[in-house]
Amino acid sequence: MHTQLQSFLRRYFGVVMITLAPVIFTAFVSIPFNLERHPGEVAAAQPQAPVRHMS
Protein backbone atom coordinates (compact mmCIF):
# COMPACT_ATOMS: atom_id res chain seq x y z
CA MET A 1 0.00 0.00 0.00
CA HIS A 2 1.27 3.45 -0.81
CA THR A 3 2.60 5.28 2.25
CA GLN A 4 0.50 8.40 1.61
CA LEU A 5 -2.65 6.30 1.28
CA GLN A 6 -1.81 4.47 4.48
CA SER A 7 -1.25 7.77 6.30
CA PHE A 8 -4.52 9.16 4.94
CA LEU A 9 -6.50 6.08 5.99
CA ARG A 10 -5.05 6.15 9.51
CA ARG A 11 -6.00 9.80 9.92
CA TYR A 12 -9.44 9.25 8.36
CA PHE A 13 -10.32 6.33 10.63
CA GLY A 14 -8.94 8.21 13.60
CA VAL A 15 -11.23 11.15 12.89
CA VAL A 16 -14.20 8.84 12.38
CA MET A 17 -13.59 7.06 15.69
CA ILE A 18 -13.06 10.29 17.61
CA THR A 19 -16.29 11.65 16.11
CA LEU A 20 -18.31 8.53 16.94
CA ALA A 21 -17.04 8.22 20.52
CA PRO A 22 -19.21 11.04 22.00
CA VAL A 23 -22.24 9.86 20.02
CA ILE A 24 -21.94 6.30 21.29
CA PHE A 25 -21.25 7.47 24.84
CA THR A 26 -24.29 9.76 24.79
CA ALA A 27 -26.55 7.01 23.46
CA PHE A 28 -25.44 4.46 26.05
CA VAL A 29 -25.84 6.96 28.89
CA SER A 30 -28.99 8.84 27.88
CA ILE A 31 -31.19 5.91 26.81
CA PRO A 32 -31.06 4.08 30.18
CA PHE A 33 -31.40 7.41 31.99
CA ASN A 34 -34.59 8.33 30.07
CA LEU A 35 -36.06 4.84 30.36
CA GLU A 36 -35.09 4.74 34.05
CA ARG A 37 -33.81 1.19 33.44
CA HIS A 38 -31.56 -0.69 31.05
CA PRO A 39 -33.24 -1.53 27.71
CA GLY A 40 -32.97 -5.30 28.33
CA GLU A 41 -34.62 -5.22 31.75
CA VAL A 42 -38.29 -5.88 32.24
CA ALA A 43 -40.24 -2.71 32.96
CA ALA A 44 -41.77 -2.46 36.41
CA ALA A 45 -45.54 -2.82 36.47
CA GLN A 46 -47.07 0.61 36.85
CA PRO A 47 -50.61 1.04 38.14
CA GLN A 48 -53.01 1.70 35.31
CA ALA A 49 -55.27 4.73 35.44
CA PRO A 50 -58.98 3.86 35.28
CA VAL A 51 -60.36 3.99 31.76
CA ARG A 52 -62.97 6.69 31.40
CA HIS A 53 -65.48 6.70 28.61
CA MET A 54 -67.18 9.87 27.51
CA SER A 55 -70.56 8.23 26.85
Side-chain angles (χ1 to χ4, degrees), residues 2-44:
H2 199 275
T3 56
Q4 287 181 342
L5 177 61
Q6 187 177 10
S7 175
F8 170 76
L9 289 176
R10 282 186 182 166
R11 286 185 181 201
Y12 178 77
F13 287 124
V15 169
V16 169
M17 291 300 159
I18 289 173
T19 305
L20 284 177
V23 174
I24 293 170
F25 175 76
T26 303
F28 278 98
V29 170
S30 65
I31 290 173
F33 179 74
N34 288 326
L35 290 176
E36 297 177 355
R37 61 182 173 85
H38 289 286
E41 293 177 354
V42 178

